[in-house]
DNA sequence: TAACTTACTGTAAACGTTTACAGTAGGAAG
DNA sequence: CTTCCTACTGTAAACGTTTACAGTAAGTTA
């Protein structure tokens, strides 16, 4: 059995078969009203020829690709998977397709990505970046399609922005200090990244507010993942002097739980652990991870909505919103 | 500061600026040799006009979109994230872009997806499905672009296929029985899915080989996720009579670990647990999960390679390959 | 009746590329 | 000198849509 090689039917073919003009076919397909009499003829021709409109023709003529590009720094991190899911939730209800951009951990990768968007393969752009740079800001200025930024990367004003308001670490710290006192360790990710920088700042300020110099309470992992977390913790001297650990994301928290379990240090009885992001991971770990919910799925949904709104109506006012983080208490603290 | 609204430069503009024909510009861009003298003129015009080729024009004329569509049944499942990562690894080295299809858990969603591919928005298709159906098989036959199937869904012969060879459960069982004896529980996902069906079959056969009727050793979760796993285990009478549990994927294994930890049943001392997929999750759980590695990232990479090979040379022989699963021993068994 | 309005329809021109084809210039071979 | 070859170039025609515009038929109003 060989596959049929015959070429696909075009709108011309449909028009001929239905004995109407190609314009009428196009109008019918795009939901405009046509003479009642010809409607069934077109429908019949479409199905008998198995016609499907060609995306490229459409994209070229109408300069709309029906594609949204989502940039994801690191697909291994569950927080980005959750955001992706949120974006999908919304796009699936529309006829937009989701393009996943190559990973963009570095400034250069980000620049290449933003640059490539000028090739008109997407109608909108949802931007997530771990890094910040004047060049990124500059590249963004030239971007020819609407964009939404999730996170704290700085770009120009004419962009919708979705942030998490800054009190997340404060929230965690209040909870821990109230319950377990001031001996808190902060396991951060790299401060060369935006979240690393911001979360450290949040921690130091929150400690300051309690009259404590937080600088000696911070250990920095080389990356936001489990291995880096384990490596960083291994360098902490006398870990049992701490009563609790705040981790800059759930993967680092997973590392902390593993590390403590290896040392047979009970969580939360000896040391309490709290994560940030509240990804799916949190409820899977044992003990289940108390974590600061960053509403990632919701942020993804919101980003998709913002893009769609702007594509529908380019004059929509630019929105800069902040989501309030929320502590979700489970077993680890 | 308002964004520039001027329209993008086209190849015509570049040709005019460089004082050559548009054909030469096109040829230069596509890597064909042009007169040495005009090369710098074109390069200069391109950069001064900031020209980027328009994807839609290209796609329409050459009928190549430079896009690969990947279908993912459920983006929440880490195994699909890992496969996606593998696909990305390969595509990132090329100028193909990755399209993530909407989730396709049901037969209808699959059919709609396969149907939509006739709209020519992708050059190749990597197909993953939890479900099987004659209609899917039939729809696949009409597909006009090359496809790779990952998994055991049945389609026609003219498709590259990547499976995991069937001995996975046998592998797990041998390991467990050798170590802990025959009191094994199999925590399966829904048998309405392909993996659910196959893994159950594998389990029953492997038990049969040992002269045991496995049917009473199986409990079926309603879905391949943690909540369903917990619910299913809650219904098992007298769980402590089992010495080990094989779980049909890592999420169900995570559920088992949680369940046992809640009951203060020590793993692996009282009951050993083994997962399937060996996703990132496995090394994060405590105790770290022993799991059957399905080489998901590799399968993703392979799928991408197969598609690219076929796009390069459509006469490539169709490949049907089986990956050998491998047991990765950690703490839980 | 004519004049106007309403509600469509068809023709043809885009959109920005790639590429078949014919053409040309320069050098080598005879 | 002519002929042939090589290596490139430019013209123009696609690819499959959408849409401005002009046209038309039927209905309404005067």
């Amino acid at each position: 059995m060989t596959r049929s090689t015959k070429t696909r039917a075009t709108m011309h073919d449909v028009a001929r078969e239905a004995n109407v003009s190609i314009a009428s076919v196009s109008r019918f397909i795009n939901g405009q009203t046509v003479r009642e009499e010809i409607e069934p003829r077109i429908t019949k021709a479409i199905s008998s020829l198995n016609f499907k409109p060609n995306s490229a023709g459409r994209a070229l003529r109408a300069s709309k690709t029906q594609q949204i590009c989502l940039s994801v720094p690191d697909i291994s991190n569950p927080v980005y998977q959750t955001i992706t899911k949120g974006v999908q939730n919304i796009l699936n209800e529309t006829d937009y397709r989701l393009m996943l951009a190559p990973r963009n951990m570095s400034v250069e990768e980000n620049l290449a990505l933003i640059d490539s968007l000028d090739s008109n393969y997407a109608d909108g752009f949802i931007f997530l970046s771990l890094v910040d740079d004047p060049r990124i800001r500059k590249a963004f200025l030239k971007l020819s399609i609407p964009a939404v930024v999730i996170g704290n990367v700085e770009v120009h004003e004419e962009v919708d922005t979705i942030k998490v308001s800054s009190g997340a670490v404060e929230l965690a710290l209040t909870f821990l200090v109230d319950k377990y006192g001031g001996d808190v360790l902060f396991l951060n990710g790299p401060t060369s990244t935006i979240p690393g920088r911001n979360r450290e700042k949040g921690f130091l300020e929150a400690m300051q507010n309690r009259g404590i110099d937080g600088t000696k309470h911070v250990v920095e992992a080389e990356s936001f993942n489990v291995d880096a977390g384990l490596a960083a913790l291994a360098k902490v001297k006398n870990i049992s002097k701490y009563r609790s650990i705040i981790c800059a994301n759930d993967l680092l928290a997973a590392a902390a739980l593993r590390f403590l379990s290896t040392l047979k240090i009970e969580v939360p009885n000896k040391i309490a652990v709290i994560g940030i992001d509240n990804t799916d991971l949190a409820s899977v770990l044992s003990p289940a991870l108390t974590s600061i919910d960053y509403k990632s799925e919701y942020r993804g949904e919101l980003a998709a909505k913002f893009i769609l709104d702007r594509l529908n109506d380019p004059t929509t006012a630019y929105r800069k919103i902040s989501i309030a983080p929320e502590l979700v208490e489970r077993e680890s603290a």
Side-chain angles (χ1 to χ4, degrees), chain A:
Chain A
M1 168 167 21
T2 52
R3 289 261 295 294
S4 112
T5 71
K6 82 170 178 254
T7 122
R8 296 206 54 77
T10 73
M11 237 175 218
H12 281 98
D13 301 323
V14 174
R16 195 179 327 111
E17 175 98 356
N19 202 23
V20 295
S21 78
I22 183 175
S24 290
V25 177
S26 173
R27 283 189 283 251
F28 172 72
I29 285 179
N30 291 296
Q32 297 178 45
T33 53
V34 295
R35 192 150 37 102
E36 209 173 318
E37 173 201 351
I38 69 180
E39 211 164 295
R41 300 215 305 265
I42 298 181
T43 317
K44 202 176 131 206
I46 287 178
S47 78
S48 84
L49 294 172
N50 190 26
F51 168 76
K52 303 273 161 47
N54 178 300
S55 303
R58 215 170 222 190
L60 178 56
R61 173 57 220 228
S63 24
K64 296 188 100 210
T65 60
Q66 301 293 68
Q67 299 190 154
I68 303 292
C69 177
L70 170 66
S71 86
V72 162
D74 174 12
I75 203 181
S76 302
N77 189 328
V79 72
Y80 298 119
Q81 295 158 358
T82 311
I83 290 176
T84 304
K85 192 177 168 192
V87 172
Q88 285 257 29
N89 291 347
I90 301 301
L91 293 190
N92 289 357
E93 304 301 311
T94 72
D95 50 0
Y96 281 90
R97 296 184 294 268
L98 176 62
M99 280 234 11
L100 213 55
R103 47 169 263 165
N104 56 329
M105 304 276 271
S106 70
V107 174
E108 282 69 26
E109 285 165 331
N110 272 293
L111 291 173
L113 170 60
I114 297 171
D115 211 43
S116 79
L117 287 168
D118 281 341
S119 281
N120 277 11
Y121 59 78
D123 297 339
F125 181 40
I126 299 176
F127 186 51
L128 274 162
S129 173
L130 278 172
V131 290
D132 211 352
D133 194 283
R135 285 173 294 164
I136 291 182
R137 194 176 141 76
K138 209 167 141 196
F140 231 85
L141 260 173
K142 293 198 206 125
L143 196 59
S144 51
I145 57 173
V148 173
V149 169
I150 301 182
N152 290 285
V153 53
E154 261 210 43
V155 296
H156 60 288
E157 286 302 302
E158 298 184 352
V159 157
D160 297 295
T161 307
I162 299 167
K163 299 186 183 189
V164 175
S165 49
S166 57
V169 182
E170 171 74 43
L171 198 63
L173 200 61
T174 304
F175 179 82
L176 291 180
V177 170
D178 278 4
K179 242 178 148 167
Y180 309 106
D183 297 325
V184 181
L185 176 66
F186 180 50
L187 173 56
N188 197 13
T191 47
S192 57
T193 64
I194 303 175
R197 227 160 49 215
N198 287 342
R199 289 170 197 185
E200 173 160 295
K201 186 158 160 269
F203 177 74
L204 293 178
E205 283 176 6
M207 290 294 267
Q208 195 69 54
N209 293 344
R210 286 162 181 77
I212 312 175
D213 174 14
T215 48
K216 281 169 230 139
H217 295 241
V218 176
V219 53
E220 179 177 336
E222 277 183 10
S223 176
F224 276 106
N225 62 35
V226 177
D227 289 345
L230 290 171
L233 286 170
K235 287 188 198 144
V236 176
K237 289 182 283 252
N238 191 13
I239 195 149
S240 41
K241 76 178 174 221
Y242 294 103
R243 186 61 190 86
S244 62
I245 308 181
I246 299 181
C247 306
N249 79 351
D250 284 356
L251 287 171
L252 293 174
L257 292 181
R258 280 206 64 67
F259 187 77
L260 297 173
S261 128
T262 308
L263 295 181
K264 310 254 185 251
I265 298 178
E266 276 174 47
V267 177
N269 297 340
K270 295 293 177 191
I271 298 186
V273 173
I274 195 164
I276 291 183
D277 278 344
N278 192 35
T279 57
D280 287 349
L281 200 56
S283 55
V284 166
L285 297 170
S286 344
L289 185 68
T290 295
S291 187
I292 308 288
D293 192 352
Y294 262 46
K295 318 279 173 86
S296 301
E297 188 163 350
Y298 178 62
R299 284 186 292 149
E301 290 176 351
L302 218 50
K305 275 185 197 146
F306 282 5
I307 278 286
L308 294 176
D309 285 351
R310 183 158 311 285
L311 289 172
N312 277 336
D313 175 9
T315 67
T316 309
Y318 290 95
R319 284 172 279 193
K320 315 274 176 191
I321 78 154
S322 279
I323 310 283
E326 209 173 298
L327 192 142
V328 176
E329 193 174 347
R330 295 199 183 80
E331 300 161 0
S332 72

